[in-house]
Amino acid sequence: MILGKVIGSIWATQKEEGMNQLKLLIIEPITWRGDSAGAPIIAADRIGAGRGERVIVSRGSPARTIFPKSAPIDAVVVGIVDSLEVGVDDAEE
């Protein structure tokens, strides 16, 4: 799983079978400090995340397990981050 920030949405009226009614978001991977941590990805969202929110994203085969087998999904938002806490030793990296 990765930590990310929602930076946008994608609308597609023509989608593969199994992707109907799915909201697609553009997610920027981030570090726990909020710094960019890689290229943006597209993730399916069924929980209602919005622009600017920090989210937890599952990728690869674990992301596919919550969708029908025919859905070509490789990233999904699995949580909206309310807060996070990092230990003092970890904060000194």
Side-chain angles (χ1 to χ4, degrees), residues 7-82:
I7 60 172
S9 298
I10 293 181
W11 291 270
T13 56
Q14 301 287 326
K15 298 183 209 176
E16 285 292 326
E17 188 174 328
M19 294 183 66
N20 297 333
Q21 307 301 317
L22 275 182
K23 180 178 166 185
L24 300 174
L25 298 176
I26 303 171
I27 308 291
E28 176 184 19
I30 59 173
T31 67
W32 60 269
R33 291 181 185 203
D35 301 323
S36 180
I41 61 172
I42 298 171
D45 174 41
R46 297 193 312 181
I47 61 175
R51 187 173 181 166
E53 290 188 295
R54 292 178 300 174
V55 293
I56 302 166
V57 177
S58 180
R59 298 180 72 183
S61 56
R64 282 189 286 277
T65 62
I66 63 173
F67 295 99
K69 289 185 180 186
S70 63
I73 304 296
D74 69 349
V76 63
V77 174
V78 295
I80 298 172
V81 177
D82 294 317

Side-chain angles (χ1 to χ4, degrees), residues 32-33 85-93:
W32 60 269
R33 291 181 185 203
E85 181 178 324
V86 178
V88 174
D89 294 339
D90 295 335
E92 296 177 5
E93 70 174 37

